[in-house]
Amino acid sequence: MTATFESTVPQSAAGNPIGFGRMLRKEDARFLRGKGRYLDDIALPGMLYGAILRSPYAHARITSIDTSAAEAHPKVKAVITGATLETLNLAWMPTMSGDVQAVLATDKVRFQGQEVAFVVAEDRYAARDALELITVDYELLPPVVDAHRALDADAPVIRTDIDGKGDNRIFDWEAGDAAACDEVFRRPGVVVAEAEILYPRSHPSPMETCGSVAQMDKVTGKLTCWITSQAPHAHRTVYAMVAGLPEHKIQIISPDIGGGFGNKVPVYPGYVCAVVATIVTGAPVKWMEDRSENLMTTGFARDYHMHGEIAATPDGKILALRTTTLADHGAFNATAQPSKFPSGFFSIFTGSYDLEAAHCRVTGVYTNKAPGGVAYACSFRITEAVYLVERMVDVLAHDLGLDPAELRMRNLIQPDQFPYRTKTGWEYDSGNYPLTLQTTLDHAGYKELRAEQAENRARFARTGEGTLMGIGLSVFTEGVGAGPRKHMDILGLGMADGCELRIHPTGKGVLRISVQTQGQGHETTFAQIVAHELGLPPEDVEVVHGDTDQTPFGLGTYGSRSTPVSGAAAAVAARRVREKARIVAAAALECSPDDLEWELGRWQVKGDPTNGRTIQEIALLAHSNLELPEGVEGHLDGSAVYNPPNLTFPNGAYLCVVDVDPGTGEVAVRRFVATDDCGPRINPMIVEGQIHGGLAEGIGMALMQAIAFDEEGNCLGGSFMDYLLPTSLECPSWELAETVTPSPHHPLGCKGVGESATVGSPAAVVNAVIDALGPYGVRHADMPLTPAQVWLAIQGRPARTDLAFGSGGR
Amino acid sequence: MQVTMTVNGDEVTREVEPRLLLVHFLRDHLGLTGTHWGCDTSNCGVCVVAMDGVPVKSCTVLAAMAAGREIRTVEGMEQDGRLDPVQEGFMREHGLQCGFCTPAMMITARALLDVNPDPTAQEIRQAICGTVCRCTGYENIVRAIRWAAEHSDQAAVPA
Amino acid sequence: MQTPAPFEYERATSVGHALALLERFGPEARLVAGGHSLLPMMKLRLADPEYLIDINDLTDLDYVRLAGDTIAIGAMTRHATLLASPVLAEHYPIFADAERVIADPVVRNRGTIGGSLCQGDPSEDLPAVASALSATLVIQGIDETRTVSARAFHTGPYETVVGPAEILTEVRIPIRPGAGSAYEKVERRAGDWGATAGGCFVVLAADGETVVDVGIGLTAVGAPHFCAEAAEAVLRGRPATAENLAAAAAAAAEVTNPQTDQRGPAEYKRHLAGELTRRALRRAVARARGQEA
């Protein structure tokens, strides 16, 4: 049963909802005054600055490194090279995918920008100066740039560091039923549509780059690292495993983070160098990368080359979907996703449709590019999966001459089919897809838009002037909240998260959580969860996060998992506190706990409501001399480690309207309508903000963002002059709607929403542009649909966007 | 060399290298870390401060070039414990998430409202297009600035 | 963030002072005005001057004024001022068209017309505007002041005729009664350099038909001196019909030598040169006829 969530929630003295509802954010108080504490704001006495010398070449042997001039610089305190790290067994470090990655290059450099040396100096200007004093001699090697050529017999082998490695293959993985698919595709009368669909390499590019301040206290042996990290506990454990430092002597602090988007999950060489540098120099060392380092070397996203095939009846019943996909992982396999899923959750590519069969095969390859692939709100490759299926559905609509909305509506999973088991093994928890799609169509005025488009096309046919209107849809299912520890771990660490709630004697609460906000508003929404469960005003609940010394273990914030996992842990912990409070209240009221009923914020005697105790009163009682029953300890606290039974499956339906200028190829986004279903919304204001942000990403990826490479392996997206992010002028005024189908297995029914809009939006924009180009017979063109690419598509020859314009093609 | 300038109403003098960028002068020499930086190529606009009343990218101004000028940063927006209506608007309309671009957006907004007290949404989008935000999708920033425009006569609530 | 190499800094108090400093410091000195071309290059260590001469105090070079039948623009005039100038809006809306799409509003508070012309970036917009209008540029040296046509000002990418101890001080544009002008630009995103851009002016005869005079400027496509004289010749003296405008546009595309880069392949830019010239001519003609604001 779906209904818009209604709020009859009482207000606290400060005007905040005691529970779910629109609440202004607590964290704003410091950000509005410029008093946030971001990594580069940290200044410790005696702090030194690190800078990294990087390779200008994509593939080369290092024949010599001379650091003497840099070491002689009066402000330089240390210079570290791969040779230095080798003596500490730290020249290589494990990645989150079972591979190894160079911290500082020793034998070869394998991508442009790879780390070669680390200087430590008194200030950042001197550190930058010192980089120019290091001389490195390289012997160039031919690079592997085109992923499609990585497995050629004569392709240069990149990972010569791996014993016996004779090619650039990383893995082959498949899911679904190939035989069942074959049967469907070969059925007589079945229509098959095929397309080559690239999701180009892009980069999350938060406005704050990555960095770390490392401080080793020689006396206590404690290492404290401030890191721009979305997963401080995971980083701590990795540091312990990698550096052999005792884990109880490592403290990781994530301060305020200026955006993460998955970019701040991996452990980067700069962080490790900062740790080595603080040990070597005895002083705190800050390493803060600049923007070109961020774009060229930190965790990129996507780079999936997908061959898609969709089988359907001629009148539009979709039967099966299959894909063979090439995954470009760069020079090291450093993707961060649950270890049993080398291709993440890509197998969710069956989307929101009820199919008979599905199969995917993914081959991962090395290339001479930066490592990464899982980042940028992808929900572990679900961005790629959704883009594939939503483009294939539109290609099918194009080939069959069917309306894309009707084609989708006809094939959606129906409400009575939930929980729905997909043909690749996912169990979707809940949804009302037809209602969600209809909500979007109604909100957008779909019929009127198509009528307007018909007039627009007639006018264009007559005059040849003006813009062409396009309408694009994307209906998507997401899977977030990783995940059940039996199936999901990263580096062997199960993806269950802890939470601790303590109520002080005067009735104020402290909630310690394992996830890490980078703007999502956890300090506010998690307080609202406690308010919802316990009736404490949110302003009376302090949320503590980011410091591993102060918070319980968890796998961090990415994959939209904060609400589904940590939010659930918070609810469970709060419920345990509530149950303990019941016992304390019963002791004070001299009755049985079974005689009590809960009214928000208060345990009271059933049938005698004036006889009760508020949670604040109970807190004081729990710390008092009140005699408590046998087996019940004092104080008022509770904790939980939440092991989610399944992912949650937020979903949505998006519609984009564009106007394309065929003379120039320019695309203007006129409207964007988004209906999201993430279950109940803890704070609708924050949920909408998350959606707005993700929709902007869709415009960016569809129209302007991509990192391409030329034939020599030079990265062509290494600055904001070429890696373009959408501004206020490219984004329309977003139009949002909602449907609400709670998750049956989450304690609050909440599903998480952080990445939904990023997952669902690119297809809507691309589908709209391709739709606009209907009069030219365009069937598909790869993102980003820059003006040049649109113009080329009109000429019938869209370019490969992973390579430089003008490079050789396939 | 020595540079003297007025920052948030106070005259400050420091000894600096000529090559010191204004953003680093403000952050590292004056401890005003509310102004941030985000790129190398003067594109992202996260470093915007007001110089002689006009928004400028402080990563592309030398401290030496700012000598003798009047600089306003986010730290100077709150007056006598009262938030500027722009700050209030950003809070009420959820115009910030991670907060990193927010000081730049607010300085730009204040400068806009000072010359155009009743801007349209499109004029607002024009004015802020020099600063990139990755979190908000801009809609709530526009609403925040409209809120400030509509409540400029209201004394800002005490912080 | 990247940071510049060390240098010495001086602030000029007058044009004469700036010239004296240029002479004293020699070829390792650069003037800095808005700084949004030079400073980014210095931060990336692509430019490495030993001396920086700050001319932002030369506020008496910041003006847009009518001097008889000439518009005089001081070299220190900021982009934001050009965009808002009522004098330019009245006589040459090509300026507002171009300024609206130059960088972003914050950068426009600092960048200057002098800096834009002297930087000579092959994708810079104001050189195309100045060339389209056949502006006259005033260059002051220690001993003499000379004038140069905008079309002779640039000698190559990032190269101008301004000598080591000279400063561009003024840009002069003749007022052409009845002129219409316009600028068109295609960019991948607001604030990006243009994939192609260009603008023009036309003067029509009293009958509103014959093109008495025309100037066509182009940037980002390797057009020599940022203009397309051959295309002007195709149109000058002819009626402003759609066919003739198209012919001039096609001729403009012919003079280009665009480079393939991530803004697009050369063939696309050449196409755009023609398409944008056609659109700019059409709008300029409409404005000359009083049909469009």
Side-chain angles (χ1 to χ4, degrees):
Chain A
M1 183 59 203
T2 58
T4 307
F5 187 79
E6 273 172 19
S7 178
T8 50
V9 169
Q11 277 202 335
S12 71
N16 293 322
I18 304 183
F20 294 8
R22 186 181 202 273
M23 174 176 161
L24 300 186
R25 298 192 331 164
K26 297 181 176 197
E27 34 271 87
D28 289 357
R30 62 187 186 275
F31 294 140
L32 290 174
R33 293 171 173 79
K35 297 292 185 202
R37 194 151 189 259
Y38 302 92
L39 205 294
D40 201 33
D41 300 345
I42 295 171
L44 302 176
M47 188 171 75
L48 303 173
Y49 291 78
I52 295 180
L53 181 71
R54 297 179 177 277
S55 165
Y57 304 115
H59 200 196
R61 208 165 279 122
I62 297 178
T63 53
S64 72
I65 305 183
D66 182 357
T67 61
S68 51
E71 291 172 57
H73 188 296
K75 287 189 172 184
V76 167
K77 298 297 178 203
V79 181
I80 299 168
T81 63
T84 322
L85 294 183
E86 266 179 332
T87 66
L88 303 166
N89 213 18
L90 273 178
W92 295 82
M93 62 178 177
T95 69
M96 296 194 180
S97 279
D99 194 357
V100 290
Q101 170 178 3
V103 176
L104 292 176
T106 49
D107 55 336
K108 290 202 300 187
V109 290
R110 294 173 168 84
F111 63 94
Q112 186 182 52
Q114 186 178 350
E115 299 80 2
V116 174
F118 190 82
V119 301
V120 187
E122 286 173 19
D123 63 67
R124 72 179 87 223
Y125 283 65
R128 175 78 180 75
D129 291 342
L131 291 181
E132 304 201 321
L133 300 176
I134 302 176
T135 314
V136 184
D137 287 323
Y138 296 97
E139 188 191 299
L140 292 186
L141 298 169
V144 177
V145 178
D146 182 347
H148 290 269
R149 311 268 307 277
L151 296 178
D152 286 359
D154 60 348
V157 175
I158 299 171
R159 298 303 302 279
T160 47
D161 59 295
I162 300 175
D163 267 341
K165 187 77 178 150
D167 62 20
N168 296 312
R169 183 181 301 268
I170 307 177
F171 65 81
D172 289 283
W173 181 82
E174 56 183 297
D177 189 335
C181 260
D182 283 345
E183 188 275 316
V184 173
F185 273 83
R186 283 200 228 108
R187 248 181 238 167
V190 153
V191 171
V192 174
E194 276 185 65
E196 293 287 337
I197 298 181
L198 170 66
Y199 204 135
R201 178 176 286 232
S202 65
H203 193 281
S205 189
M207 291 325 294
E208 180 205 30
T209 59
C210 303
S212 174
V213 175
Q215 178 174 41
M216 171 60 91
D217 183 324
K218 284 201 162 125
V219 172
T220 64
K222 182 147 187 189
L223 173 68
T224 302
C225 293
W226 290 261
I227 309 181
T228 51
S229 169
Q230 298 175 227
H233 303 88
H235 278 208
R236 185 191 66 199
T237 306
V238 168
Y239 276 31
M241 291 173 175
V242 166
L245 297 165
E247 190 167 0
H248 67 298
K249 293 290 209 178
I250 302 173
Q251 177 187 19
I252 307 290
I253 302 173
S254 295
D256 288 323
I257 298 185
F261 310 107
N263 188 217
K264 293 175 175 162
V265 171
V267 174
Y268 293 119
Y271 301 161
V272 177
C273 289
V275 172
V276 173
T278 185
I279 294 173
V280 161
T281 61
V285 175
K286 174 187 283 186
W287 171 73
M288 194 78 205
E289 63 172 3
D290 65 33
R291 180 55 65 182
S292 64
E293 297 179 281
N294 176 256
L295 292 174
M296 287 177 64
T297 74
T298 65
F300 74 90
R302 322 283 193 266
D303 218 340
Y304 258 34
H305 305 243
M306 308 178 281
H307 175 84
E309 294 174 274
I310 189 166
T313 63
D315 64 341
K317 175 84 194 97
I318 303 176
L319 302 171
L321 192 52
R322 66 184 174 194
T323 175
T324 39
T325 288
L326 190 64
D328 183 336
H329 279 239
F332 307 107
N333 186 12
T335 52
Q337 74 259 302
S339 62
K340 298 186 179 75
F341 299 82
S343 188
F345 300 160
F346 182 67
S347 64
I348 206 173
F349 75 101
T350 56
S352 304
Y353 307 106
D354 185 23
L355 304 181
E356 283 188 30
H359 181 254
C360 68
R361 181 176 297 120
V362 182
T363 300
V365 296
Y366 292 119
T367 59
N368 286 112
K369 302 173 190 170
V374 168
Y376 203 2
C378 69
S379 298
F380 303 125
R381 301 285 189 188
I382 300 187
T383 41
E384 291 88 320
V386 164
Y387 183 63
L388 173 67
V389 60
E390 287 306 290
R391 272 268 67 227
M392 289 308 303
V393 169
D394 255 39
V395 163
L396 179 67
H398 173 278
D399 288 358
L400 294 181
L402 296 175
D403 177 277
E406 282 172 29
L407 178 60
R408 286 175 167 82
M409 191 63 92
R410 171 137 186 234
N411 287 283
L412 292 176
I413 298 165
Q414 295 301 304
D416 59 6
Q417 291 181 282
F418 285 90
Y420 177 85
R421 192 151 189 90
T422 74
K423 290 301 182 288
T424 51
W426 297 102
E427 189 175 280
Y428 294 172
D429 56 4
S430 64
N432 188 337
Y433 295 169
L435 176 65
T436 306
L437 175 55
Q438 195 58 51
T439 303
T440 287
L441 296 175
D442 291 345
H443 205 102
Y446 187 70
K447 286 205 206 51
E448 290 77 10
L449 287 172
R450 285 293 180 200
E452 184 192 339
Q453 184 183 47
E455 280 171 28
N456 169 265
R457 284 185 174 174
R459 194 215 67 236
F460 183 79
R462 274 195 322 272
T463 67
E465 299 280 354
T467 58
L468 284 169
M469 177 185 171
I471 303 162
L473 286 167
S474 172
V475 177
F476 67 94
T477 298
E478 261 260 71
V480 301
R485 58 194 291 154
K486 184 167 121 177
H487 304 298
M488 295 182 184
D489 64 88
I490 296 190
L491 273 187
L493 300 169
M495 297 185 79
D497 275 50
C499 186
E500 296 165 3
L501 175 62
R502 174 171 301 281
I503 314 295
H504 292 325
T506 55
K508 307 291 195 265
V510 177
L511 182 76
R512 299 177 185 279
I513 61 178
S514 61
V515 289
Q516 177 56 39
T517 185
Q518 318 115 43
Q520 297 92 327
H522 293 171
E523 290 169 32
T524 305
T525 55
F526 277 78
Q528 289 182 262
I529 292 176
V530 174
H532 176 79
E533 295 293 337
L534 283 182
L536 275 179
E539 62 267 25
D540 287 353
V541 180
E542 179 84 353
V543 176
V544 177
H545 61 100
D547 181 340
T548 57
D549 274 5
Q550 306 277 347
T551 52
F553 190 86
L555 268 284
T557 295
Y558 42 81
S560 304
R561 65 191 297 276
S562 293
T563 296
V565 183
S566 184
V572 171
R575 288 174 191 178
R576 289 179 179 163
V577 167
R578 193 168 77 211
E579 283 312 302
K580 189 165 177 184
R582 178 187 218 153
I583 297 173
V584 172
L589 293 166
E590 294 177 335
C591 63
S592 157
D594 296 329
D595 295 334
L596 295 177
E597 64 184 6
W598 174 257
E599 179 80 17
L600 186 66
R602 179 183 162 84
W603 281 112
Q604 60 203 24
V605 177
K606 289 176 192 166
D608 184 13
T610 56
N611 203 6
R613 294 290 182 272
T614 66
I615 191 76
Q616 289 87 349
E617 289 166 335
I618 295 170
L620 190 54
L621 286 165
H623 291 82
S624 74
N625 55 8
L626 175 70
E627 192 82 31
L628 293 172
E630 187 78 28
V632 177
E633 297 171 355
H635 301 178
L636 190 58
D637 60 314
S639 65
V641 175
Y642 187 75
N643 181 29
N646 189 8
L647 301 185
T648 57
F649 295 86
N651 53 85
Y654 293 166
L655 184 149
C656 181
V657 182
V658 301
D659 296 291
V660 179
D661 182 335
T664 63
E666 290 164 297
V667 176
V669 177
R670 193 203 298 181
R671 285 180 71 189
F672 202 109
V673 177
T675 303
D676 278 273
D677 191 329
C678 57
R681 299 181 172 196
I682 298 169
N683 186 326
M685 178 189 85
I686 287 184
V687 169
E688 286 168 13
Q690 293 291 295
I691 295 170
H692 287 172
L695 298 179
E697 309 288 5
I699 292 191
M701 281 182 283
L703 300 181
M704 64 190 73
Q705 281 172 231
I707 298 190
F709 290 79
D710 70 16
E711 281 156 356
E712 287 159 15
N714 291 311
C715 173
L716 303 177
S719 84
F720 280 168
M721 293 206 314
D722 272 305
Y723 189 68
L724 302 174
L725 304 172
T727 71
S728 50
L729 289 178
E730 285 80 39
C731 296
S733 183
W734 316 107
E735 301 169 59
L736 303 192
E738 65 178 292
T739 58
V740 182
T741 56
S743 171
H745 66 75
H746 186 279
L748 301 168
C750 299
K751 290 185 172 180
V753 76
E755 295 168 318
S756 288
T758 309
V759 166
S761 57
V765 183
V766 172
N767 285 343
V769 176
I770 304 293
D771 182 64
L773 300 180
Y776 294 98
V778 176
R779 185 172 179 269
H780 178 69
D782 282 325
M783 307 191 274
L785 296 169
T786 59
Q789 176 72 333
V790 170
W791 185 81
L792 287 170
I794 291 172
Q795 314 312 309
R797 39 197 174 84
R800 266 185 70 171
T801 51
D802 57 325
L803 303 175
F805 278 122
S807 300
R810 256 181 248 289
Chain B
M1 62 182 290
Q2 238 191 31
V3 294
T4 298
M5 66 185 79
T6 307
V7 180
N8 296 330
D10 296 324
E11 192 178 272
V12 296
T13 299
R14 293 289 189 278
E15 184 72 30
V16 304
E17 282 186 86
R19 63 173 171 163
L20 182 71
L21 302 172
L22 178 61
V23 63
H24 291 143
F25 178 73
L26 295 169
R27 290 177 51 80
D28 300 335
H29 290 246
L30 302 184
L32 297 172
T33 56
T35 302
H36 306 131
W37 57 265
C39 77
D40 314 313
T41 48
S42 311
N43 292 110
C44 77
V46 140
C47 64
V48 169
V49 300
M51 186 158 84
D52 290 343
V54 143
V56 299
K57 296 186 177 181
S58 65
C59 74
T60 319
V61 176
L62 300 172
M65 292 165 79
R69 318 246 182 257
E70 199 183 300
I71 308 292
R72 289 225 161 251
T73 71
V74 61
E75 289 91 342
M77 288 188 79
E78 186 180 359
Q79 300 279 334
D80 302 317
R82 299 176 103 76
L83 292 178
D84 186 299
V86 166
Q87 291 170 299
E88 185 76 29
F90 269 73
M91 178 168 63
R92 287 178 183 254
E93 295 295 332
H94 190 39
L96 66 150
Q97 291 182 27
C98 81
F100 205 69
C101 76
T102 307
M105 288 290 189
M106 294 195 303
I107 291 282
T108 303
R110 172 41 55 211
L112 169 70
L113 294 177
D114 283 351
V115 299
N116 182 356
D118 190 21
T120 63
Q122 191 57 24
E123 287 170 335
I124 291 172
R125 286 176 180 271
Q126 269 285 346
I128 63 172
C129 75
T131 297
V132 173
C133 173
R134 303 294 277 147
C135 296
T136 69
Y138 304 105
E139 175 65 22
N140 285 350
I141 293 178
V142 174
R143 291 182 191 172
I145 298 172
R146 276 302 315 160
W147 189 97
E150 284 159 22
H151 296 85
S152 57
D153 55 331
Q154 250 172 258
V157 296
Chain C
M1 191 214 323
Q2 311 236 10
T3 53
F7 54 84
E8 310 234 357
Y9 169 92
E10 288 284 346
R11 193 181 282 201
T13 53
S14 67
V15 172
H17 184 210
L19 290 168
L21 288 170
L22 279 171
E23 191 177 51
R24 186 169 111 213
F25 294 142
E28 285 304 312
R30 294 288 299 271
L31 299 176
V32 62
H36 279 58
S37 299
L38 181 59
L39 288 176
M41 284 176 62
M42 291 173 66
K43 283 156 72 177
L44 295 173
R45 311 251 170 153
L46 299 172
D48 194 1
E50 284 177 25
Y51 305 93
L52 223 53
I53 301 166
D54 181 348
I55 56 172
N56 284 287
D57 276 357
L58 305 190
T59 51
D60 50 343
L61 291 186
D62 182 355
Y63 55 86
V64 179
R65 52 181 173 243
L66 285 170
D69 56 1
T70 303
I71 297 174
I73 305 173
M76 282 299 297
T77 308
R78 313 275 177 188
H79 288 295
T81 309
L82 297 173
L83 175 60
S85 160
V87 169
L88 291 174
E90 183 188 335
H91 296 283
Y92 285 110
I94 184 177
F95 271 96
D97 283 358
E99 287 294 350
R100 212 168 276 126
V101 288
I102 288 177
D104 61 62
V106 180
V107 173
R108 293 198 293 263
N109 285 331
R110 294 296 291 162
T112 61
I113 184 168
S116 175
L117 293 172
C118 291
Q119 176 70 9
D121 190 301
S123 296
E124 196 85 47
D125 294 295
L126 290 187
V129 173
S131 278
L133 300 179
S134 289
T136 300
L137 308 186
V138 181
I139 301 171
Q140 189 170 334
I142 292 182
D143 298 321
E144 63 154 11
T145 297
R146 62 198 178 98
T147 60
V148 172
S149 162
R151 296 189 176 199
F153 185 74
H154 294 99
T155 55
Y158 307 101
E159 282 172 19
T160 72
V161 299
V162 177
E166 289 186 311
I167 296 182
L168 174 69
T169 54
E170 187 174 88
V171 179
R172 292 180 187 155
I173 303 160
I175 292 176
R176 299 175 173 96
S181 63
Y183 197 82
E184 296 273 340
K185 179 170 176 175
V186 170
E187 33 187 17
R188 295 174 296 180
R189 187 207 73 172
D192 190 16
W193 290 100
T196 299
C200 64
F201 82 91
V202 294
V203 178
L204 302 179
D207 62 359
E209 281 305 322
T210 311
V211 175
V212 166
D213 196 8
V214 57
I216 297 174
L218 285 168
T219 185
V221 286
H225 303 292
F226 293 95
C227 59
E229 289 188 349
E232 294 162 356
V234 165
L235 190 55
R236 194 175 284 113
R238 294 213 162 74
T241 61
E243 292 75 25
N244 288 339
L245 296 189
E254 288 296 305
V255 313
T256 63
N257 182 26
Q259 301 299 304
T260 291
D261 61 21
Q262 287 309 93
R263 292 183 183 88
E267 57 161 326
Y268 168 66
K269 297 184 181 184
R270 194 167 293 114
H271 159 81
L272 277 186
E275 179 65 22
L276 296 184
T277 299
R278 187 180 68 82
R279 294 184 187 193
L281 283 171
R282 201 170 54 182
R283 282 177 54 220
V285 165
R287 283 173 170 167
R289 289 175 179 155
Q291 286 164 354
E292 191 198 296

